Amino acid sequence: MKLTKLSQSEFDRGCELNNVLKECWKAFYSLTAQMNNVETDSAKYLQLDKLRQTCERNIGEFKHELDELNWLLRIGIRD
């Protein structure tokens, strides 16, 4: 292993992931608010819930990748 900094492409990917995560969270909260407004329409509620679950999965995946980049940055160790 050698000590190094993040490459420019890794840094760019981290910035991109950060922006995507912000948008995913906005969508998640928007869908949650919409769900609260259609509680009497079960079909619409379930459709919004399915979209919200997709957002939640995407958030988890993007956050995991961003956490890996942050870990590399903090310790500065790369294979």
Side-chain angles (χ1 to χ4, degrees):
M1 291 197 292
K2 63 181 179 177
L3 296 178
T4 184
K5 296 180 180 179
L6 287 177
S7 70
Q8 185 63 44
S9 64
E10 289 169 321
F11 177 79
D12 291 344
R13 180 65 178 153
C15 292
E16 178 186 5
L17 285 168
N18 191 47
N19 291 334
V20 168
L21 274 170
K22 287 178 189 176
E23 293 303 315
C24 285
W25 277 113
K26 286 179 189 176
F28 179 83
Y29 289 123
S30 174
L31 289 166
T32 301
Q34 291 177 54
M35 289 171 68
N36 290 334
N37 293 328
V38 296
E39 289 178 340
T40 57
D41 183 349
S42 61
K44 182 72 172 173
Y45 183 89
L46 291 174
Q47 181 184 20
L48 291 169
D49 187 47
K50 187 175 180 177
L51 290 171
R52 191 176 72 145
Q53 289 174 15
T54 300
C55 280
E56 198 169 20
R57 277 192 304 276
N58 289 341
I59 288 168
E61 289 174 15
F62 292 138
K63 183 163 180 352
H64 178 74
E65 187 176 346
L66 188 59
D67 288 345
E68 286 179 349
L69 286 172
N70 285 332
W71 180 80
L72 289 173
L73 181 62
R74 278 195 298 273
I75 64 167
I77 297 176
R78 307 251 318 196
D79 289 333

